[in-house]
Coordinates of all heavy atoms in Angstrom, one line a residue:
N147 N 122.1 -20.5 104.8 CA 123.5 -20.4 104.3 C 123.8 -18.9 104.2 O 123.6 -18.3 103.1 CB 123.6 -21.1 102.9 CG 125.1 -21.0 102.4 OD1 125.9 -20.3 102.9 ND2 125.3 -21.9 101.4
L149 N 126.6 -17.1 104.4 CA 127.8 -16.7 103.6 C 127.4 -16.8 102.1 O 127.7 -15.9 101.3 CB 128.9 -17.7 103.9 CG 130.2 -17.5 103.0 CD1 130.7 -16.1 103.1 CD2 131.2 -18.5 103.4
G150 N 126.7 -17.9 101.7 CA 126.2 -18.0 100.3 C 125.3 -16.9 99.9 O 125.4 -16.4 98.8
M151 N 124.4 -16.4 100.8 CA 123.6 -15.3 100.5 C 124.3 -14.0 100.3 O 124.1 -13.3 99.3 CB 122.5 -15.1 101.6 CG 121.5 -16.2 101.6 SD 120.1 -15.7 102.8 CE 119.4 -14.3 101.9
L153 N 127.5 -13.7 99.4 CA 128.3 -13.7 98.2 C 127.5 -13.6 97.0 O 128.0 -13.2 95.9 CB 129.1 -15.0 98.2 CG 130.2 -15.2 99.3 CD1 130.9 -16.6 99.2 CD2 131.2 -14.1 99.2
S154 N 126.2 -14.0 97.1 CA 125.3 -13.9 95.9 C 124.5 -12.6 95.7 O 124.0 -12.3 94.7 CB 124.3 -15.1 96.0 OG 124.9 -16.3 96.1
A266 N 126.2 -27.8 92.7 CA 124.9 -27.2 92.8 C 124.8 -26.4 94.1 O 125.8 -26.3 94.9 CB 123.8 -28.3 92.9
N267 N 123.6 -25.8 94.4 CA 123.4 -24.9 95.5 C 123.8 -25.7 96.8 O 123.4 -26.8 97.0 CB 122.0 -24.5 95.6 CG 121.7 -23.3 94.7 OD1 122.6 -22.5 94.4 ND2 120.4 -23.2 94.3
D268 N 124.5 -25.0 97.7 CA 124.8 -25.5 99.1 C 125.6 -26.8 99.1 O 125.7 -27.4 100.2 CB 123.4 -25.7 99.8 CG 122.7 -24.4 100.0 OD1 123.3 -23.4 100.3 OD2 121.4 -24.4 99.9
E269 N 126.2 -27.2 98.0 CA 127.0 -28.4 98.1 C 128.4 -28.2 98.6 O 128.9 -27.1 98.6 CB 127.1 -29.0 96.6 CG 125.8 -29.6 96.2 CD 126.0 -30.5 95.0 OE1 126.8 -30.2 94.1 OE2 125.3 -31.5 94.9
A286 N 133.9 -22.0 93.2 CA 133.3 -21.1 94.2 C 132.7 -19.9 93.6 O 131.6 -19.4 94.1 CB 134.4 -20.7 95.2
M288 N 131.4 -19.6 90.5 CA 130.2 -20.0 89.7 C 129.1 -20.4 90.6 O 127.9 -20.3 90.2 CB 130.6 -21.2 88.8 CG 131.5 -20.8 87.7 SD 132.0 -22.2 86.7 CE 130.4 -22.7 86.0
Q289 N 129.4 -20.9 91.8 CA 128.3 -21.4 92.7 C 128.6 -20.8 94.1 O 129.2 -21.4 95.0 CB 128.2 -22.9 92.8 CG 127.1 -23.4 93.6 CD 125.8 -22.8 93.1 OE1 125.3 -21.8 93.7 NE2 125.2 -23.4 92.1
P290 N 128.3 -19.5 94.4 CA 128.6 -18.9 95.7 C 128.0 -19.5 96.9 O 128.5 -19.3 98.0 CB 128.1 -17.4 95.5 CG 127.9 -17.2 94.0 CD 127.6 -18.6 93.5
T291 N 127.0 -20.3 96.7 CA 126.4 -21.0 97.9 C 127.1 -22.3 98.3 O 126.8 -22.9 99.3 CB 124.9 -21.3 97.7 OG1 124.8 -22.2 96.6 CG2 124.1 -20.0 97.3
A292 N 128.0 -22.7 97.4 CA 128.8 -23.9 97.7 C 129.9 -23.6 98.8 O 130.3 -22.5 98.9 CB 129.4 -24.5 96.5
R293 N 130.3 -24.7 99.5 CA 131.4 -24.6 100.4 C 132.5 -25.4 99.8 O 132.4 -26.6 99.7 CB 131.0 -25.1 101.8 CG 130.0 -24.2 102.6 CD 129.7 -24.8 103.9 NE 128.9 -26.0 103.8 CZ 128.7 -26.9 104.7 NH1 129.4 -26.8 105.9 NH2 128.0 -28.0 104.5
N318 N 134.0 -18.2 100.0 CA 133.4 -19.6 100.3 C 134.4 -20.7 100.1 O 134.1 -21.9 100.2 CB 132.1 -19.9 99.5 CG 132.3 -19.6 98.0 OD1 133.1 -18.8 97.6 ND2 131.5 -20.3 97.3

Side-chain angles (χ1 to χ4, degrees):
N147 185 347
L149 176 58
M151 289 189 66
L153 293 177
S154 303
N267 280 335
D268 297 322
E269 287 196 324
M288 290 177 65
Q289 187 53 265
T291 63
R293 290 179 292 159
N318 50 332

